[in-house]
Amino acid sequence: MAILSLQNDMKGFDDTSNIWLRPFSALINCMFPVEYVYADWIGWQTKTEAERADPESLIGLPDTAIEAGSRAEGFCIPQFILRKSDIERGSVLDIKEHWRPDCDMMTASDPFEINDEKKPIPIFTVEHVEDDPKYAKLRLTKEWKVHRPRYKNVSCLHHTFLLPSADHPMDGREITRFDGQKATWSYSLHGPVRKLQSGVLPSYEEDQTGVFKYPIAWPEPAKEWLVRPRPSGWPSSDLVQEILNSGCHLAPVGRGTRFEEPVDLLSYCQNPELSVASSVSLRAEYTEGKLVMDNTEWKTSFSVAENKLGESVSPMQRHVLVLLKMIKKCYFPKVISTYCLKHLLFWEIEKKQEDFWREDNSGNCLLLILDRLQECLGAHQLPHFFIPRSNILQYEDPSKLNEAAAIVAEVRRNILPKTVNLLKRLQSLTYLSHTYLQGLGLILEDHLLKMQDRNLSSKDQRQLVRSLHSIFASKCKDVMVQLRKITPAERQNIEK
């Protein structure tokens, strides 16, 4: 699709203030096709469905599990390994990082419990924090305290209440790695999350978290999202209604940094009052200049809504976010999270008309999000997509945000060479990308220099795009020849 669109785009080529953006868009789409993102996402969906359907699968998700994160939304980076440089290639020792999305799984519990009279009673009521309403306290109800007397002196529910089970059939199992060495599966507790890891390459990592269903249809602080104006028409009214019907959840995550692990589940159930008192006293302290997390504070999770929004975006919008995540991994500091990038994208899709998100405009789309990111970092302010009163950057160190803004600005100024250098260093797990990029180094460098010429005429721009098209079309044929093992004579019959 990317190659074909280049042929169509060469007609009616208009001059712009940023003359290099059109060929830059073409280059991105050639080196990192939209189809690559979709193929990887569909592959993960198929794998998940197959594991769910296999009763003997030891790592399959149960029917009650809710998959969250990039694999479910379709924003996962394809399974690449990143070389140390664009020169070293072909050896495992050259690998800098292996990109493989984790599996994030939520198990939802009902916020109601059946009492001795066989009637459902609410376990808690939700009290959103005034200065940041995406967080809340779960205040235990009188009815439930009567039903569970040991909680009679406890005000709010502790994270430990929803700890996942400590048992997993894969825990402790031994596996042989590709180099012949032995590795062992582990199933360990990290905060309120149970993490299953394989310890091999490619690694498998699964995070299991217990959450509560939100006890009413939709949180009061997020009701503005249901009715606010949407210039682009996205999300549609039908999608908004579908998200409303799906509801949201309460996850065991509070503000600040977690400095204490949740207490043992058995100990907590035996004496919940002591555990909560310990957490509250610790909350008032600062450790190493960081706010200590309160283990009785819960975060409103819109993971299901984000899954549905992610599924609804256009191919170009998905492509832009995945490329931004790749750029983030290589160039941005940790203070810039993929969560920030996702919310920025959602805000811009809601504002920008559909015709902005075109494949031939991908360079502009990329720069738009980078500009918005720099603005938010500089202002220390990024509104939450569902609860705009909440600031996603509120608890970050202001000096680190300022440093991050400067880094984003530098990447933005040099976006063309940085993006191309990143893409040249990627290797696919299906076949090595150097098979495709072999011999392109000097040609691409020559084109990069030309594309950065601000005085490039419209005629020269058209010629540059034609040249890029012919280069990548030829390399596509070369790869097809190698994969299909066809003869040079048969190569003539490959459809252009």
Side-chain angles (χ1 to χ4, degrees):
M1 186 170 72
I3 296 293
L4 292 177
S5 82
L6 277 181
Q7 292 174 312
N8 296 330
D9 288 344
M10 279 187 255
K11 300 177 180 179
F13 221 69
D14 295 326
D15 195 2
T16 63
S17 56
N18 291 317
I19 196 76
W20 58 276
L21 280 176
R22 197 70 172 269
F24 176 49
S25 299
L27 187 60
I28 291 175
N29 298 333
C30 282
M31 296 185 71
F32 184 53
V34 174
E35 293 87 348
Y36 213 165
V37 176
Y38 268 92
D40 199 74
W41 180 33
I42 292 170
W44 284 116
Q45 288 180 313
T46 304
K47 182 177 184 294
T48 300
E49 290 299 319
E51 289 174 346
R52 283 185 188 270
D54 182 4
E56 297 183 2
S57 174
L58 297 179
I59 57 173
L61 304 184
D63 292 336
T64 56
I66 302 169
E67 191 174 2
S70 61
R71 274 181 33 171
E73 300 160 347
F75 294 136
C76 51
I77 298 174
Q79 297 181 73
F80 289 122
I81 52 179
L82 182 70
R83 295 197 306 270
K84 292 179 181 178
S85 72
D86 58 353
I87 299 174
E88 299 170 299
R89 61 182 78 239
S91 169
V92 173
L93 298 178
D94 296 339
I95 297 172
K96 177 183 178 182
E97 187 175 357
H98 174 214
W99 291 346
R100 181 182 174 94
D102 301 337
C103 177
D104 297 320
M105 182 182 74
M106 302 189 308
T107 303
S109 296
D110 202 309
F112 299 89
E113 196 168 290
I114 304 299
N115 65 8
D116 297 335
E117 287 77 37
K118 308 299 181 184
K119 295 181 179 179
I121 56 173
I123 300 174
F124 54 81
T125 57
V126 182
E127 297 181 357
H128 287 272
V129 177
E130 182 61 31
D131 62 337
D132 191 352
K134 68 175 175 287
Y135 292 99
K137 293 275 192 172
L138 309 188
R139 192 163 298 280
L140 299 176
T141 63
K142 292 181 180 179
E143 303 98 309
W144 194 74
K145 288 184 181 182
V146 171
H147 178 60
R148 296 285 190 93
R150 63 166 54 95
Y151 291 86
K152 64 180 180 181
N153 294 322
V154 178
S155 299
C156 300
L157 208 56
H158 193 278
H159 292 170
T160 301
F161 190 85
L162 283 188
L163 276 186
S165 169
D167 298 321
H168 196 284
M170 294 300 293
D171 189 24
R173 287 206 174 199
E174 196 175 73
I175 190 171
T176 302
R177 303 191 330 179
F178 70 95
D179 58 0
Q181 298 296 313
K182 299 293 185 181
T184 304
W185 283 79
S186 64
Y187 186 60
S188 53
L189 184 67
H190 298 262
V193 176
R194 295 281 183 189
K195 187 179 290 290
L196 177 67
Q197 292 177 294
S198 65
V200 297
L201 183 69
S203 63
Y204 177 88
E205 188 170 308
E206 176 184 305
D207 291 343
Q208 301 178 4
T209 310
V211 297
F212 276 114
K213 297 177 183 175
Y214 202 89
I216 59 176
W218 197 250
E220 182 66 33
K223 285 188 175 177
E224 177 269 349
W225 180 82
L226 299 173
V227 297
R228 73 179 177 221
R230 295 184 166 89
S232 70
W234 181 92
S236 67
S237 56
D238 288 343
L239 181 54
V240 170
Q241 184 62 51
E242 182 182 342
I243 289 173
L244 173 62
N245 294 340
S246 300
C248 58
H249 298 85
L250 292 158
V253 179
R255 292 174 290 177
T257 304
R258 192 184 300 275
F259 280 95
E260 61 169 356
E261 295 293 333
V263 295
D264 177 77
L265 183 58
L266 179 60
S267 301
Y268 171 71
C269 292
Q270 290 175 340
N271 195 344
E273 184 178 356
L274 181 61
S275 301
V276 172
S278 171
S279 179
V280 171
S281 65
L282 187 63
R283 177 74 171 90
E285 301 176 7
Y286 284 76
T287 301
E288 300 174 352
K290 296 180 180 179
L291 185 64
V292 177
M293 184 183 295
D294 179 357
N295 280 314
T296 64
E297 199 169 68
W298 298 64
K299 184 178 180 180
T300 312
S301 170
F302 295 92
S303 289
V304 173
E306 290 167 8
N307 288 354
K308 293 182 180 297
L309 291 175
E311 292 171 355
S312 74
V313 303
S314 72
M316 191 65 255
Q317 292 159 351
R318 187 181 312 283
H319 190 248
V320 167
L321 183 61
V322 172
L323 183 56
L324 277 166
K325 289 175 66 173
M326 292 161 62
I327 292 172
K328 168 199 144 31
K329 277 182 171 288
C330 281
Y331 303 120
F332 292 167
K334 289 183 178 180
V335 72
I336 302 175
S337 66
T338 56
Y339 190 70
C340 291
L341 298 178
K342 180 170 64 177
H343 276 245
L344 278 171
L345 179 74
F346 285 166
W347 278 114
E348 293 308 317
I349 297 176
E350 192 177 76
K351 297 178 200 173
K352 288 282 187 182
Q353 296 297 329
E354 185 178 355
D355 62 356
F356 175 78
W357 306 95
R358 304 186 315 274
E359 190 170 354
D360 66 316
N361 198 39
S362 59
N364 253 327
C365 299
L366 184 66
L367 294 183
L368 171 71
I369 305 298
L370 287 175
D371 288 340
R372 294 291 180 268
L373 176 61
Q374 183 185 347
E375 292 170 8
C376 290
L377 292 169
H380 307 168
Q381 179 78 28
L382 172 55
H384 191 279
F385 186 65
F386 295 98
I387 307 179
R389 284 175 52 202
S390 289
N391 175 16
I392 293 175
L393 302 176
Q394 182 173 343
Y395 307 102
E396 302 294 348
D397 184 336
S399 64
K400 290 184 178 180
L401 293 177
N402 292 337
E403 291 173 4
I407 292 172
V408 172
E410 192 273 334
V411 170
R412 200 256 191 237
R413 283 192 299 270
N414 299 282
I415 189 61
L416 196 155
K418 285 188 175 293
T419 304
V420 172
N421 183 58
L422 163 62
L423 294 175
K424 286 170 64 178
R425 290 159 55 197
L426 293 177
Q427 291 180 327
S428 165
L429 295 185
T430 54
Y431 66 90
L432 296 180
S433 63
H434 75 263
T435 301
Y436 185 84
L437 294 173
Q438 188 175 14
L440 285 182
L442 294 177
I443 299 174
L444 286 178
E445 287 179 12
D446 178 64
H447 279 68
L448 286 179
L449 290 174
K450 292 178 180 177
M451 290 164 67
Q452 294 176 79
D453 183 0
R454 300 288 178 172
N455 298 315
L456 195 67
S457 69
S458 179
K459 180 180 178 181
D460 290 338
Q461 187 184 49
R462 286 194 296 270
Q463 183 58 42
L464 185 57
V465 172
R466 288 193 186 97
S467 177
L468 283 171
H469 167 261
S470 63
I471 291 169
F472 281 93
S474 175
K475 293 304 295 185
C476 283
K477 293 176 185 178
D478 291 340
V479 171
M480 291 173 68
V481 167
Q482 293 187 40
L483 293 179
R484 293 172 56 185
K485 301 185 184 304
I486 63 177
T487 66
E490 291 175 315
R491 187 183 192 277
Q492 302 297 324
N493 298 323
I494 296 176
E495 186 174 355
K496 295 182 180 180

